[in-house]
Amino acid sequence: MRDYWEQPEKKKINVKKIVISILISIIIIAIIVLVALYISNEQFRDWTDIQIFRKEISQDRVAVIELEEGQFSNVYAFNRYIGILNKNKLSLYGSTGSEEASLDIEISTPVFFSSNRFLVVGEQNGQKMYLIEDKEIAWESEIEGNISQVYVNKNGYVAVIISGTSYKSVVQVFDPEGNALFKRFLSSTIAMDVSISNDNKYLAIADVDTSGTIVQSHIRVISIEEARTDPSNSEENNYQSEQNKLIIDIEYQDKNRIVCMYTDTISIIENGQETTMFDNEDKKIIAQSVKLNNNFVTIEEESSGIFSANSVVNIVDIDTKNTKNYTLESSIKEIYTKGDIIVLNLGTEVEFINTGGWLVKRYVASQEVTNVTVSDSIAGIIYRDKVEIINL
């Protein structure tokens, strides 16, 4: 009977757990609200980028590399370094502005190209060429003819466009050890650009026939394996564009897709077909580039008033075909692209955005910016007497 009349024991409420749960819920809701505001509200995003993420930096807060007064220096960013070529010396500087390596490079008028940790340097209209891997010279070579353009893929395979021979253009390919693999001779067309696939299996050549009254562009796909033994029978595909379309740039992307930039359109070659992805018709396009990872970018000027215009940056994902937009209430002087970084030179400001359409850094100067060099992780703002370093 006693058990029957005994009052049940009251459960104790854990106040501490309840308070912690409420606090966690509030934090999660606050984060969701802030993220939504950051995505949808441009003024809030700009304030957050400046005040919280510190993405805006001024000219007086960056590391500086001083250039020799009265000496012209060639400046190029690659990998984690700013390279400065002067008097046959290539000096490599890190993010703090300190010199990390100095390489003997017998080149006075260079043409550069970089990918991943590789930098290829050739003598413009000369014969000398070097491949730099990180901070070391991997190999050097002399070619027959005159170097017009150089290219290296992310694995260190090099292609060079050669002029000044009995052919209109010659394309020569080297492996990462500097072994010459083959030459492709173009007797009636001029090579405009080259690209090597990420799996090292294919060489793409963009060339133009200007011998007749009609301009004819081609994109040739060469099997590197076949070309090593039989160069004349190594062409796997030859994509011929519409008449009077001038090819400017090409770039191999993942899955062996080739992005092709013409003067009036941007197209993609995949699965044996070339498809137009962007048409410049009826648009005021001021700049565009296909030199990005699995994306291309176009910049369109749109009127925002009687005497004003906005610059709309359209970033197109090659994989999903989706377009991301980044709008600036000013005119863009120049763009530079590398990897996942798009550089927008506005004059006294430079904006670095990524292929996701988000601001990475904003550089504010007290003078006009004339030139910029950029890699995936570092950029150099080039002036007459100095280079200012931006870490991305």
Side-chain angles (χ1 to χ4, degrees):
M1 291 297 293
R2 192 182 56 161
D3 293 341
Y4 178 80
W5 293 105
E6 195 173 88
Q7 293 292 328
E9 186 180 349
K10 292 183 179 179
K11 291 184 178 179
K12 292 182 179 180
I13 298 174
N14 194 326
V15 178
K16 185 177 179 181
K17 282 187 177 179
I18 293 174
V19 171
I20 291 173
S21 298
I22 293 172
L23 286 174
I24 291 173
S25 299
I26 292 171
I27 291 169
I28 291 171
I29 293 168
I31 290 172
I32 293 170
V33 170
L34 289 172
V35 170
L37 276 172
Y38 185 84
I39 292 171
S40 61
N41 190 303
E42 187 177 337
Q43 288 182 329
F44 178 77
R45 182 168 61 248
D46 198 48
W47 180 88
T48 305
D49 284 340
I50 295 171
Q51 302 297 333
I52 306 299
F53 297 136
R54 303 295 181 184
K55 291 184 178 181
E56 183 172 293
I57 53 175
S58 58
Q59 190 172 20
D60 56 357
R61 291 173 50 209
V62 297
V64 176
I65 305 168
E66 301 290 345
L67 299 178
E68 289 188 36
E69 193 171 344
Q71 293 289 331
F72 178 77
S73 298
N74 295 280
V75 184
Y76 191 84
F78 84 103
N79 198 13
R80 297 173 287 113
Y81 311 108
I82 300 291
I84 298 179
L85 180 59
N86 189 11
K87 297 180 180 178
N88 294 335
K89 287 279 186 183
L90 178 64
S91 300
L92 302 180
Y93 296 85
S95 59
T96 61
S98 59
E99 185 176 324
E100 298 191 13
S102 181
L103 307 175
D104 292 324
I105 302 288
E106 296 178 18
I107 286 177
S108 55
T109 308
V111 53
F112 295 103
F113 197 93
S114 66
S115 182
N116 197 6
R117 65 186 187 279
F118 296 99
L119 169 68
V120 60
V121 188
E123 180 73 64
Q124 183 78 57
N125 296 319
Q127 289 75 46
K128 201 77 173 176
M129 184 170 60
Y130 296 81
L131 179 68
I132 313 299
E133 183 177 359
D134 196 37
K135 294 188 289 187
E136 303 289 339
I137 297 175
W139 54 264
E140 60 182 271
S141 183
E142 289 197 23
I143 59 96
E144 296 178 7
N146 300 322
I147 295 172
S148 297
Q149 189 174 328
V150 291
Y151 173 90
V152 61
N153 80 345
K154 67 178 186 178
N155 302 312
Y157 279 77
V158 172
V160 54
I161 298 176
I162 303 167
S163 60
T165 70
S166 57
Y167 296 89
K168 284 201 171 182
S169 289
V170 178
V171 178
Q172 188 168 10
V173 175
F174 297 82
D175 69 13
E177 287 72 45
N179 301 308
L181 300 182
F182 65 90
K183 290 181 179 179
R184 178 72 180 188
F185 300 96
L186 303 176
S187 57
S188 59
T189 59
I190 299 170
M192 303 293 288
D193 197 17
V194 291
S195 187
I196 298 173
S197 62
N198 291 333
D199 61 7
N200 315 317
K201 291 182 178 180
Y202 301 103
L203 165 72
I205 303 173
D207 61 87
V208 178
D209 185 351
T210 58
S211 58
T213 56
I214 297 172
V215 172
Q216 184 64 65
S217 298
H218 306 85
I219 296 95
R220 305 173 193 271
V221 177
I222 312 297
S223 167
I224 291 178
E225 185 61 35
E226 293 294 326
R228 297 176 73 167
T229 55
D230 189 6
S232 59
N233 293 310
S234 59
E235 189 173 291
E236 295 207 349
N237 282 296
N238 185 345
Y239 300 92
Q240 184 170 296
S241 70
E242 297 175 17
Q243 292 181 343
N244 283 327
K245 283 179 67 69
L246 179 62
I247 187 74
I248 300 172
D249 280 333
I250 56 172
E251 186 72 8
Y252 256 113
Q253 308 284 8
D254 288 344
K255 301 178 183 178
N256 287 337
R257 293 171 294 203
I258 307 171
V259 184
C260 312
M261 187 170 82
Y262 297 88
T263 53
D264 57 350
T265 59
I266 294 177
S267 64
I268 180 172
I269 296 175
E270 61 179 333
N271 301 322
Q273 298 291 326
E274 183 174 5
T275 306
T276 299
M277 291 192 67
F278 188 88
D279 195 325
N280 295 1
E281 189 176 0
D282 299 325
K283 301 179 182 71
K284 189 176 181 181
I285 302 299
I286 57 175
Q288 51 191 13
S289 174
V290 299
K291 301 298 186 184
L292 287 164
N293 292 337
N294 298 312
N295 286 265
F296 68 82
V297 61
T298 68
I299 299 179
E300 183 178 356
E301 193 170 270
E302 293 183 349
S303 176
S304 59
I306 299 176
F307 301 109
S308 61
N310 291 339
S311 297
V312 181
V313 182
N314 304 296
I315 306 163
V316 181
D317 188 304
I318 300 300
D319 209 15
T320 65
K321 310 300 188 289
N322 292 332
T323 301
K324 296 169 286 291
N325 303 114
Y326 186 89
T327 303
L328 289 162
E329 296 178 353
S330 60
S331 297
I332 295 173
K333 290 178 57 182
E334 288 178 297
I335 70 164
Y336 311 83
T337 58
K338 199 67 181 180
D340 290 311
I341 299 295
I342 301 163
V343 186
L344 310 171
N345 183 357
L346 310 178
T348 56
E349 286 187 12
V350 180
E351 297 210 358
F352 300 85
I353 65 174
N354 59 27
T355 50
W358 299 107
L359 179 70
V360 177
K361 285 284 175 68
R362 179 185 293 123
Y363 166 85
V364 181
S366 58
Q367 61 196 106
E368 195 84 2
V369 174
T370 56
N371 201 4
V372 180
T373 181
V374 65
S375 75
D376 270 323
S377 58
I378 197 170
I381 310 295
I382 306 169
Y383 296 103
R384 179 183 54 81
D385 56 349
K386 63 183 176 180
V387 179
E388 298 184 347
I389 301 172
I390 311 295
N391 294 308
L392 303 175

